[in-house]
Every structure is written in C-alpha cells, then in structure tokens.
Amino acid sequence: MPRPLGELEDAVMTRVWKWNRPVTVREVLEDLQQERSIAYTTVMTVLDNLHQKGWVRREAEGRAYRYEAVSTRPAYAAALMNDAWAQSDNPAAALVAFFGMMSDEQRQALRDAVRIVQGPETPDVPPDSMPEGDGR
C-alpha cells in the first residue's frame, strides 16, 4: 500500500485524475496558480516525485514530459481504506465504527457497491434454499 499523498501531491494528482489525460507541468501549474502562488519548478519536482513513487508515468515530449495517472482516485481511496482496515486489531469493530460515521448517501453508495460485487440475485429466494446444480 502506498503512503497517503501529501497536500501538494494530492492537489497535483487531483488535476491529473480529473483531466484523465496526459498533462504537462505547465498545465498543472496554471491551474494551481488560480488557488495559490506556486513556482514551475515546485510543480515539476512534485510530478517527478509522483513518478518516482509510481503514481504517474511520463513520456518525453520535446524537452518536457507529459504525465499520466497510473491508477484512479477511487482505486487510491480504496487502497487507503483497505490499508487502514487491515491495521485494525478488530476489523469488525472498525467497520461498525466506519459505517457509523457515514452519511445516508454514503450508506446508500455502500449498499449499491455491495449489490454490484454480489451480482444479480434471485428475488425472494434465500441463497441457501436454491436447488443444487444451479451454478451457485
């Protein structure tokens, strides 16, 4: 599991993920400058560090590089949650506490995700009452 992104790394990766295409240091710099004062060399160093850490791949374009995300933000969030959960000495209690912190919208998203992972089910028939040989 990779370390969580730092504040500036997250700001850079947010743009790379949002744009979902190869980006230049200049593009990221110009967007970041709408929120903060930041130097070109700082953004270049952050993107180089993200490349060294395996968050982005890069391809040379002239004397510069274009950077592209290796993974998605949802995959990053899932890895962070999985790592945190794995570190608990009581995973069930950790999940109960986590679910207790969720908003109604988050709980609905969780229910939807569980349905997707489980796949379609036969309505009104408990799984243990299905006849043998049905492929389950």
Side-chain angles (χ1 to χ4, degrees):
M1 164 62 202
R3 280 183 22 251
L5 296 171
E7 186 267 329
L8 189 52
E9 290 174 327
D10 186 70
V12 169
M13 282 305 299
T14 294
R15 281 140 180 94
V16 175
W17 281 319
K18 180 176 81 174
W19 296 334
N20 195 30
R21 61 173 171 75
V23 300
T24 64
V25 171
R26 175 80 44 209
E27 290 173 307
V28 175
L29 170 72
E30 289 173 358
D31 200 60
L32 282 170
Q33 284 179 330
Q34 296 176 28
E35 299 172 1
R36 65 178 84 197
S37 176
I38 190 167
Y40 180 93
T41 53
T42 301
V43 176
M44 183 174 63
T45 299
V46 170
L47 279 164
D48 185 59
N49 290 343
L50 289 166
H51 175 256
Q52 297 298 325
K53 293 177 179 181
W55 287 104
V56 295
R57 62 180 144 260
R58 67 185 181 192
E59 188 171 317
E61 184 176 275
R63 292 178 28 172
Y65 289 105
R66 284 201 171 267
Y67 295 87
E68 185 174 16
V70 170
S71 181
T72 64
R73 182 177 278 286
Y76 166 68
L80 289 178
M81 289 186 292
N82 187 59
D83 188 53
W85 186 45
Q87 292 180 33
S88 173
D89 60 351
N90 187 339
L95 281 175
V96 169
F98 180 62
F99 297 156
M101 295 176 194
M102 294 174 124
S103 67
D104 290 339
E105 293 80 20
Q106 290 169 322
R107 281 192 290 279
Q108 184 58 51
L110 176 63
R111 283 190 287 277
D112 293 344
V114 168
R115 275 191 218 98
I116 290 168
V117 170
Q118 288 178 336
E121 295 185 25
T122 306
D124 302 325
V125 178
D128 57 349
S129 68
M130 294 294 291
E132 296 208 350
D134 67 339
R136 282 196 170 195

